[in-house]
């Protein structure tokens, strides 16, 4: 999982070194005291408690970073610590064993296979989806195709780069082909595992289109490598790209888990206010610059950011649909009890305490 899709986010820092402006000095953390209305009826834990989060600097971890920097975890006497794993083969067992409490999971066949083979982790909240008309994970076309590819059926006969097949990448690719009325025989699939490498390939004309990700999409546009084409929500409007995962031990600790979720959702709500309502945007961008691979604050104004539901809601039906596709492709061995694996009760309880999200006004 991390090697396939999430590891690219870490790799972005390498691309940024060549494509983005020189990194500036990191700004000081911005804090925002919470009030009683925001913390609901919850009081701080009696004892300071550490929660270890497997997070690698992905933009989809915004809720964690913001809650940490603005003191929302501190409000509940929770101390968060970020750690990183080279790949999901190490991370998922550590999560199941309770060595880490929280992690991010991307939809891949290997992720579902791990659960099917007995790795006990819980899918508890949204950690990444495309926003309508502003997909952060979508197709781009080379400049040499701007006058050729005008609509999705025009992909026929073209070379399309995708980073992996039995993953969210392959799922979105297949959904696009269905939307276009095309089959896989109608196009030429080109496997390019590294999103960064797609930039040079599309600029040189080696490929005609690519399923790429922010901030590389925005960087490629700035450098004249490619242009956006359509939007992933045209054909996959409710694709669940990433999820917050929890250990079973974390879920059993009700006092800790509900407070953690409440703090996390407060961070996600600040993120939504900043990027979609332009409230306190500069301060939130400062936090994102500090914690993610994207160190160019100006570029944050150009990227289509990750969608994060302010109430933690997931597209549960789509998660099942993705699993079914992987299984139909022969990439899943075994079955999953989704009633056990997906547990949205924690987010729902936190929303009852905080109230449903209402966008802040400028």
């Amino acid at each position: 999982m991390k090697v396939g899709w999430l590891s690219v986010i870490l790799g972005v820092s390498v691309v940024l070194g060549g494509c983005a402006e020189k990194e500036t000095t990191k700004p000081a953390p911005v804090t925002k005291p919470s009030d009683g209305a925001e913390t609901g009826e919850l009081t701080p834990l009696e004892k300071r408690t550490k929660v270890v989060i497997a997070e690698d600097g992905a933009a989809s971890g915004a809720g964690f970073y913001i809650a940490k920097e603005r003191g929302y975890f501190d409000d509940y006497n929770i101390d968060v610590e970020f750690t990183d794993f080279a790949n999901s083969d190490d991370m998922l067992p550590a999560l199941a064993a309770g060595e880490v409490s929280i992690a991010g999971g991307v939809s891949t066949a290997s992720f579902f296979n791990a659960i099917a083979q007995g790795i006990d982790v819980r899918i508890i909240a949204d950690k990444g989806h495309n926003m309508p008309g502003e997909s952060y994970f979508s197709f781009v076309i080379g400049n040499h195709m701007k006058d050729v590819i005008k609509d999705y059926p025009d992909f026929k006969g073209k070379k399309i780069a995708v980073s992996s097949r039995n993953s969210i990448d392959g799922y979105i690719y297949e959904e696009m082909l269905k939307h276009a009325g095309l089959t896989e025989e109608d196009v030429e699939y080109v496997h390019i595992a590294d999103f960064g490498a797609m930039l040079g390939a599309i600029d040189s004309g080696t490929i005609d289109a690519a399923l790429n990700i922010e901030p590389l999409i925005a960087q490629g546009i700035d450098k004249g490598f490619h242009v956006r084409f359509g939007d992933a929500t045209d054909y996959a409007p409710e694709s669940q790209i990433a999820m917050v995962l929890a250990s079973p031990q974390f879920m059993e600790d009700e006092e800790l888990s509900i407070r953690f979720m409440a703090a996390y959702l407060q961070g996600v709500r600040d993120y939504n206010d900043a990027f979609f309502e332009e409230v306190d945007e500069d301060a939130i961008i400062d936090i994102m610059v500090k914690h993610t691979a994207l160190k160019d604050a100006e570029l944050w104004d150009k990227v289509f950011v990750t969608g994060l539901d302010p109430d933690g809601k997931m597209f549960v039906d789509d998660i099942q649909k993705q699993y079914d596709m992987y299984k139909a492709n022969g990439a899943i061995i075994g079955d999953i009890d989704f009633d056990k694996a997906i547990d949205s009760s924690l987010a729902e309880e936190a929303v009852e305490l905080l109230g449903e999200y209402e966008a802040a006004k400028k």
Side-chain angles (χ1 to χ4, degrees):
M1 174 175 57
K2 285 200 170 188
V3 168
W5 190 85
L6 270 183
S7 62
V8 175
I9 304 299
L10 284 175
V12 165
S13 60
V14 176
V15 178
L16 288 172
C19 298
E21 296 178 7
K22 185 176 180 181
E23 179 182 346
T24 56
T25 303
K26 294 180 181 179
V30 178
T31 58
K32 175 185 175 184
S34 58
D35 56 30
E38 287 181 310
T39 57
E41 301 174 0
L42 295 173
T43 57
L45 294 168
E46 291 186 6
K47 182 180 178 181
R48 185 77 171 174
T49 304
K50 182 169 73 172
V51 173
V52 179
I53 305 173
E55 185 54 71
D56 60 2
S60 61
F64 303 136
Y65 314 140
I66 296 167
K68 176 179 174 63
E69 295 297 333
R70 291 198 150 180
Y72 299 143
F73 289 126
D74 286 332
D75 288 343
Y76 297 119
N77 211 13
I78 296 172
D79 178 31
V80 297
E81 175 184 310
F82 297 117
T83 189
D84 186 26
F85 288 83
N87 56 65
S88 61
D89 291 341
D90 297 327
M91 185 270 285
L92 287 175
L95 182 66
E99 296 171 13
V100 296
S101 297
I102 297 291
V106 175
S107 172
T108 65
S110 61
F111 166 67
F112 288 118
N113 257 327
I115 298 177
Q117 298 304 308
I119 298 294
D120 187 10
V121 299
R122 309 297 161 80
I123 303 169
I124 64 171
D126 174 42
K127 194 177 179 281
H129 63 271
N130 282 320
M131 296 295 290
E134 297 182 351
S135 292
Y136 78 103
F137 189 42
S138 196
F139 281 97
V140 294
I141 61 173
N143 290 314
H144 63 292
M145 286 285 117
K146 286 192 294 186
D147 296 326
V148 178
I149 302 176
K150 297 290 189 179
D151 200 358
Y152 290 101
D154 297 332
F155 277 117
K156 186 174 182 178
K158 303 305 185 292
K159 298 176 181 179
I160 305 175
V162 182
S163 69
S164 59
R165 287 308 307 264
N166 286 304
S167 67
I168 186 64
D169 310 62
Y171 174 77
I172 289 178
Y173 171 69
E174 290 191 19
E175 291 298 298
M176 185 278 288
L177 292 180
K178 292 176 188 176
H179 179 75
L182 302 173
T183 67
E184 296 201 30
E185 288 71 32
D186 291 324
V187 299
E188 183 177 342
Y189 172 88
V190 180
H191 180 78
I192 300 181
D194 181 6
F195 287 109
M198 293 179 185
L199 296 179
I202 204 167
D203 183 47
S204 67
T206 304
I207 57 175
D208 300 315
L211 179 58
N212 214 313
I213 191 170
E214 293 287 13
L216 295 176
I217 293 176
Q219 286 184 312
I221 292 171
D222 268 3
K223 299 297 180 181
F225 294 157
H226 59 224
V227 295
R228 295 184 194 275
F229 181 80
D231 191 82
T233 58
D234 293 341
Y235 44 85
E238 296 185 346
S239 53
Q240 188 66 55
I241 296 172
M243 298 82 71
V244 177
L245 311 177
S247 72
Q249 297 88 337
F250 174 84
M251 296 297 288
E252 290 170 3
D253 190 337
E254 296 180 1
E255 290 192 351
L256 171 62
S257 61
I258 185 58
R259 286 164 174 79
F260 179 93
M261 180 59 73
Y264 170 70
L265 290 183
Q266 286 172 242
V268 172
R269 291 175 179 198
D270 285 359
Y271 172 90
N272 276 266
D273 286 343
F275 287 110
F276 304 117
E277 303 297 330
E278 298 181 354
V279 175
D280 213 11
E281 185 175 9
D282 289 344
I284 296 301
I285 287 176
D286 287 347
I287 293 173
M288 298 300 287
V289 165
K290 176 179 179 181
H291 285 275
T292 73
L294 181 52
K295 303 301 183 184
D296 183 350
E298 292 185 2
L299 194 57
W300 276 103
D301 287 328
K302 300 178 181 179
V303 302
F304 287 170
V305 297
T306 308
L308 295 173
D309 190 278
D311 292 332
K313 295 178 182 177
M314 298 175 283
F315 296 118
V316 174
D317 289 345
D318 191 72
I319 296 173
Q320 177 78 56
K321 184 178 177 182
Q322 292 173 37
Y323 166 83
D324 290 341
M325 186 202 82
Y326 305 146
K327 191 154 191 178
N329 290 346
I332 300 282
I333 300 174
D335 297 305
I336 292 177
D337 180 357
F338 279 98
D339 289 336
K340 176 184 177 183
I342 299 177
D343 188 347
S344 58
S345 63
L346 192 59
E348 291 166 358
E349 185 179 349
V351 170
E352 286 184 9
L353 291 163
L354 297 173
E356 293 186 357
Y357 171 71
E358 294 184 6
K361 302 300 180 184
K362 289 187 286 186

